[in-house]
Amino acid sequence: YEGELRDVGSHIWGGNTFIADFSELKTPGRYKVRPKVEKIKALLDSFAFPIKPSLYLELAERGARWFYYQRCGTEVPGWHPPCHTDDALLDGKPHDATGGWHDGGDYNKWSHYSHYGFFALLTLYEAFPDRWEEGDGLPYPLEEAVWEAEYVRKVQLEDGVLLSAVGGREDPWFWEGAPHEEPTRRLSADYGGRSYACTTLVGAAMARLARVLRSLGYDEDRVQEYIKVAERGYRRGYSLDFSKASDRDRGSYLDTQAGLLLADIELHRLFGEESYRTDAERRAEAVLSAQDERGFFYSDYDRTKPCQGRGFHLFALYEFLRAYPDDPLRSRIADAFARWAEFAEPFARLSHFGQMGGPDREGKPRNLPPWTCNIHIARAAWGMATAAMLSGRRDYLEIAERQIHWIVGYNPLEVSMMAGLGRGPGCYHTRMVACEGHEDGAIPGGILNGIRGSDGGVVVLGDRRTGNLVIGDHLPMDYPLMDMDTYGWTYAYLSNEYWVPNNGWFVLAAVQVENAIDSLR
């Protein structure tokens, strides 16, 4: 196949940039690209790459498999023997908090982030249930979700607050050795376990897991345990009067409404009580009311703080449409997606890479706003893929695909931020480098926090508490920053660390892009 290189001109991330577009080539196989550039005699062959169906689904599966390597309390063959089998101390006394996932770059087990993994694994399974091999046990996505659920049910308090197993000292990040050598840890809710948004979303995810497991005839006693967790989280969010809440709690308004909406949907499916359906409509109205006329959403009760990064509000609205396709709110929800996509679309046209930028603190467009990370990029992919399905607009699907491309290598650093796929940065912020044979830190399928942008001043990517300040010093605005100068361990956690929310949103995004391709075919 031959085609013409397209000159896209100079850009902040480099001049003399050309695009080789071979989208019309659809014959399955393995290929390389060899650009022919005038006055250059060297062969510039690309990496070998496949062309085949379901590539995005395969990426989603890679991202989902990463959670297995994060398992705590058991042997991970080839990585480490059973670790943290004495988790943990609660008020100085032993409390069974074994199991669960290490968060990412550290060994702490943040129960209040478990919903990212739950929703990703459950969405992957429900979207493609026939893709998983049948055996004596559960399909992998459900097996992995149950592994985390067993931990969550042990660390949720009666009022819905979530405890997390963290390092035994005041500094929960102090341990940098192998996981099976870390001293006894403690349980604490101080790092996010009291967040109304997180506790409600975790409850909603546990309700969804209970519903899926029950449909497969799974152990009903265990299903009931998960329903109890769901109900505690639901009651906690339901009981909060945001008009009288603290400023901090008022800031979690939007995601709390999303969590209640998702829980209503699942509890209605589990019990059939119409009160849940009625409340679901009320929560959907609350989420819709958080959007302004431009399509922008606000995260707080007072509509003063823009929603940036991780929010589940659009995800919740979409799940409402799936559960109740004939509801009178359908047109308003479709309009909300349309207005959000119309607002977001220009920020994906700031560079030829097509990554989703955003407004800076002064409202000016930036390729890499201060809050940009791969959660933001993947969440934008999910949103644009969903908007493409609801509106039938293929240009939105193209934007969604570009976000996935950015993460796996189509970016100004030419670096894949999915470990084990393509050329990585060469270093990772993970304590797993202490596992013999894994000194490079590459955990297959793990998604890094991602490229950060300079703001023209000193940008700290490293670890303030230890003084290992990996920095970008007075580089041009939006200059792409990531540690690519070291091997194995790096302190540059802001760019090079794995994180459960990263993989959660990446899996959701890749599944939704695959769905959109099928829908618009």
Side-chain angles (χ1 to χ4, degrees):
Y1 176 89
E2 292 186 355
E4 294 294 323
L5 293 174
R6 177 167 57 88
D7 186 354
V8 296
S10 297
H11 187 265
I12 186 174
W13 291 327
N16 302 321
T17 302
F18 295 84
I19 298 294
D21 187 347
F22 50 95
S23 302
E24 64 185 35
L25 177 60
K26 301 183 185 301
T27 305
R30 291 187 63 80
Y31 297 87
K32 289 184 178 181
V33 172
R34 174 175 291 176
K36 297 178 181 179
V37 183
E38 291 183 8
K39 300 181 181 180
I40 295 179
K41 296 182 179 180
L43 298 180
L44 305 173
D45 285 354
S46 72
F47 292 106
F49 59 90
I51 292 179
K52 59 181 179 178
S54 302
L55 276 175
Y56 293 107
L57 182 52
E58 289 190 8
L59 289 175
E61 290 182 5
R62 276 179 180 261
R65 295 283 183 185
W66 172 83
F67 289 97
Y68 172 78
Y69 298 104
Q70 297 301 111
R71 282 191 176 191
C72 179
T74 187
E75 178 187 8
V76 178
W79 288 78
H80 59 77
C83 64
H84 302 108
T85 55
D86 58 353
D87 274 345
L89 297 176
L90 180 59
D91 298 326
K93 299 178 181 179
H95 182 95
D96 181 10
T98 52
W101 300 318
H102 298 141
D103 171 59
D106 54 65
Y107 299 135
N108 297 319
K109 295 187 296 193
W110 305 121
S111 56
H112 57 282
Y113 283 159
S114 62
H115 57 283
Y116 291 96
F118 284 140
F119 285 131
L121 293 165
L122 292 168
T123 297
L124 176 60
Y125 169 74
E126 289 195 280
F128 304 96
D130 298 332
R131 194 171 175 88
W132 304 95
E133 295 182 4
E134 293 185 5
D136 295 334
L138 291 169
Y140 170 74
L142 301 184
E143 179 185 39
E144 201 58 51
V146 166
W147 180 266
E148 177 73 2
E150 284 297 290
Y151 165 67
V152 170
R153 75 176 182 85
K154 298 174 184 177
V155 297
Q156 186 197 44
L157 300 180
E158 285 296 324
D159 62 359
V161 169
L162 292 165
L163 302 172
S164 290
V166 299
R169 302 180 183 178
E170 288 186 5
D171 177 1
W173 298 278
F174 82 96
W175 186 254
E176 294 178 0
H180 55 283
E181 297 174 350
E182 185 172 10
T184 303
R185 305 192 293 184
R186 60 193 168 90
L187 288 169
S188 174
D190 293 342
Y191 301 92
R194 295 185 180 87
S195 162
Y196 283 90
C198 290
T199 53
T200 307
L201 284 163
V202 170
M206 290 287 279
R208 183 168 179 176
L209 176 60
R211 188 256 303 166
V212 173
L213 292 174
R214 177 178 280 175
S215 72
L216 298 177
Y218 193 69
D219 179 12
E220 183 61 24
D221 288 342
R222 195 56 78 215
V223 168
Q224 288 295 330
E225 289 288 334
Y226 300 163
I227 290 174
K228 288 179 183 177
V229 173
E231 290 178 322
R232 292 189 195 111
Y234 181 77
R235 286 195 298 268
R236 187 164 192 270
Y238 193 94
S239 64
L240 179 63
D241 183 348
F242 277 93
S243 67
K244 300 177 181 178
S246 67
D247 288 343
R248 181 174 182 177
D249 289 336
R250 289 161 80 96
S252 68
Y253 174 77
L254 183 57
D255 252 4
T256 304
Q257 301 307 307
L260 291 169
L261 172 52
L262 289 164
D264 278 323
I265 293 168
E266 297 302 339
L267 293 172
H268 183 227
R269 286 168 165 166
L270 283 165
F271 301 128
E273 296 178 10
E274 283 303 307
S275 59
Y276 290 117
R277 168 72 185 266
T278 301
D279 194 66
E281 293 176 341
R282 182 160 72 100
R283 303 302 171 179
E285 290 267 13
V287 173
L288 291 169
S289 297
Q291 187 182 36
D292 68 14
E293 64 280 355
R294 300 173 300 164
F296 204 77
F297 282 88
Y298 294 88
S299 62
D300 64 321
Y301 179 79
D302 303 299
R303 288 186 30 138
T304 61
K305 298 177 182 177
C307 182
Q308 298 167 339
R310 313 176 200 169
F312 275 84
H313 48 286
L314 288 175
F315 179 81
L317 291 176
Y318 178 70
E319 290 298 313
F320 181 86
L321 283 184
R322 291 182 63 233
Y324 311 117
D326 298 324
D327 193 273
L329 287 174
R330 178 177 181 82
S331 61
R332 287 184 59 193
I333 292 174
D335 179 66
F337 270 94
R339 285 188 290 130
W340 172 83
E342 186 176 357
F343 173 82
E345 188 270 346
F347 294 109
R349 305 294 182 189
L350 299 177
S351 82
H352 59 79
F353 292 105
Q355 86 295 336
M356 185 64 70
D360 63 14
R361 294 184 178 92
E362 298 177 353
K364 298 178 181 178
R366 289 235 348 233
N367 284 284
L368 297 170
W371 38 265
T372 295
C373 61
N374 281 335
I375 301 173
H376 162 74
I377 296 293
R379 181 170 160 266
W382 182 92
M384 296 307 289
T386 307
M389 288 192 290
L390 294 177
S391 65
R393 290 186 55 170
R394 292 183 176 273
D395 56 328
Y396 286 170
L397 175 57
E398 177 187 339
I399 292 173
E401 291 184 86
R402 288 296 193 201
Q403 311 314 305
I404 304 291
H405 300 171
W406 171 274
I407 292 173
V408 299
Y410 184 50
N411 54 63
L413 296 180
E414 299 181 357
V415 61
S416 172
M417 292 172 277
M418 171 178 261
L421 180 72
R423 185 183 68 180
C427 56
Y428 301 87
H429 181 84
T430 173
R431 275 72 170 169
M432 294 279 267
V433 296
C435 296
E436 186 176 354
H438 299 284
E439 292 81 3
D440 63 356
I443 305 176
I447 303 296
L448 302 183
N449 282 338
I451 297 170
R452 298 284 170 140
S454 170
D455 60 5
V458 176
V459 179
V460 177
L461 300 176
D463 202 330
R464 292 180 183 274
R465 68 192 175 86
T466 62
N468 292 278
L469 305 177
V470 183
I471 63 172
D473 187 4
H474 293 89
L475 294 166
M477 185 71 72
D478 280 343
Y479 190 93
L481 299 172
M482 195 170 201
D483 187 2
M484 298 176 65
D485 297 325
T486 53
Y487 171 79
W489 172 263
T490 174
Y491 281 98
Y493 70 93
L494 281 176
S495 55
N496 294 56
E497 183 180 4
Y498 304 108
W499 208 17
V500 165
N502 298 340
N503 272 69
W505 267 116
F506 181 86
V507 172
L508 287 171
V511 168
Q512 200 71 332
V513 168
E514 190 74 26
N515 287 335
I517 290 172
D518 290 342
S519 174
L520 298 176
R521 182 168 289 151

